[in-house]
Amino acid sequence: MRHPATLHIARPTAHEVAQRKGRAVSIDDTEHYTIDDHDTAYYDRRVASQVLAHLAQPGSFTRPIPIAPTRRIEFTCTAVLLEPGSHLTCSQRLYLERFMRPCRADQVTSATHRLTWTDSDGIRNTGYCRADGLGPVVPIAARETVLALWHALDADPAFAERVSALSPAARAALTGTTTDHEPRDIFRVGIEAAGRTLVQHALVAAQTPYRSAAGFARGMHASGVFAAVATRWFWELQASTYRRGMIPVRLVPQLDGTVRYSAETVQTLRAMKDATIADAAAVMHRATETEGLTRTQAIAKYHEDLDLISRQYALLPTGTRPACLAAMAHRIDNRHFSILPVLVDRFVTTFVELVDRCVLVEVDRDLDETSGDDQVFYVPDMTCKHCVRTIGGVLESMGIRVVDIDLDSKRVVAEFRSPRNRARAFDAIRDGGYNPVTEQAATGTRLDTPPESAI
């Protein structure tokens, strides 16, 4: 029997201890780091990445994945509402102006259509596509791929065993470094991020030589686009632009059949990332130096501001460039291992197997049947605990009591005071880039009728 590698977390240097402003003790199954002399969680991206790599190895993304037979999926399609004389929606423009500097509007491609459907797990979904691209098949098949990998992860007993064996020190690193703290949730979000990468770049599929969904997925993989998103983008940029059906990217075909980001795209992504790091650092500097708060207190006080910027960057040591946890390489069982290439290989392989088994049927009525409960609604693009906090925060800021938010089913229960109060809350949630699903029937718009102002 092959035994998993033992996870050893290195003791921090004196400099690292000073940066954490706490005291360090040895790490084993009973001891841990402390920060500010009272917090067990600590921020260390390298250690958190090492913990995740240990959990993913051996074999978490190499086990066979059962592929379901052909499935029929009904979807609705509605043209996005663009601002007059613009190729962007109001939500896209506002996000661009507030959080994407120095990106210009002409560098952004918008979806032409918004999709709604119910996936094979019975969960409502929202996505975007373009009429001049690959259409609805990429977002819908990508969602089915995400589900397949989620189910495979949940069915992996070795993964569950490694998670249960994590020491307090390893869990402390995850708690202090990652938005989602439970390993299962972290890997689920990573899988979903791979799906988002594929779906978003399908908005610019017309700039590529790939003319089928399977060919497009293989092409994005061969071109290193998944790695580019992991290293050049930042988390909130991907999540927020995905929810709004937009992408700030131009792809340039290469002689070898691959594509690359344009030089301007690379430059702009770098500038946006630098601006975000600077914004997060400014919030933390004001809180810790001017107001005299500890880092924990600063995060608690300014969590809403930092969620909009990027909470993870708030804890970066000055002058440090962030690195994607999944992209970091580690030595496990005397060989180098990185999560990202293994996960992407499995995602693309599974997508290619699934895409031709999805039989898509456009329907004219919304799939959301009336339930008669006006206190319940769904947010299909709610994908992580950051989304849960954001949506809950929007409702609570309007004086609406949140009864329950379930991330798995994307179901929200809230105590609206009136139908008008509910409608205003939905508008506020949409302004945040989310699409609450009402129970009212809606008329679909066929894909062959794109809005005239779409680019």
Side-chain angles (χ1 to χ4, degrees), residues 2 54 56 94 128 239 255 297 402 410 417 438:
R2 184 173 181 269
H54 174 78
L94 291 174
Y128 291 93
L255 294 177
Q297 291 168 338
V402 178
K410 305 180 187 293
R417 296 183 292 277
T438 66

Side-chain angles (χ1 to χ4, degrees), residues 184-342:
R184 172 183 178 270
D185 295 337
I186 296 170
F187 278 97
R188 282 168 64 98
V189 169
I191 292 167
E192 195 155 35
R196 282 201 299 262
T197 296
L198 191 64
V199 173
Q200 258 189 301
H201 285 77
L203 296 178
V204 289
Q207 301 172 12
T208 76
Y210 317 122
R211 293 297 171 258
S212 70
F216 177 77
R218 293 191 188 100
M220 291 296 99
H221 188 8
S223 300
V225 168
F226 292 91
V229 171
T231 55
R232 299 188 185 279
W233 291 52
F234 56 94
W235 175 258
E236 186 55 36
L237 176 67
Q238 191 202 24
S240 293
T241 54
Y242 174 84
R243 290 196 303 268
R244 290 169 172 82
M246 60 194 292
I247 184 170
V249 159
R250 290 288 183 273
L251 296 176
V252 180
Q254 306 295 299
L255 294 177
D256 63 359
T258 63
V259 295
R260 294 288 184 269
Y261 282 176
S262 69
E264 184 182 47
T265 290
V266 172
Q267 196 172 44
T268 302
L269 288 171
R270 174 65 180 256
M272 285 192 285
K273 194 170 190 175
D274 287 345
T276 299
I277 295 171
D279 287 345
V283 171
M284 292 299 288
H285 182 270
R286 181 176 72 247
T288 57
E289 300 299 328
T290 304
E291 301 179 30
L293 303 177
T294 65
R295 289 182 295 175
T296 302
Q297 291 168 338
I299 291 291
K301 180 175 181 179
Y302 292 106
H303 69 92
E304 291 185 4
D305 292 341
L306 292 172
D307 274 350
L308 289 172
I309 302 169
S310 183
R311 178 182 177 277
Q312 298 304 318
Y313 290 172
L315 298 174
L316 277 175
T318 303
T320 302
R321 297 291 301 174
C324 172
L325 303 185
M328 293 184 189
H330 302 277
R331 193 164 186 81
I332 298 177
D333 287 343
N334 294 318
R335 62 188 181 91
H336 289 288
F337 175 78
S338 179
I339 298 172
L340 184 64
V342 179

Side-chain angles (χ1 to χ4, degrees), residues 90 136 148 253 262 288 344 385 432 436:
C90 177
S262 69
T288 57
V344 171
K385 290 182 179 178

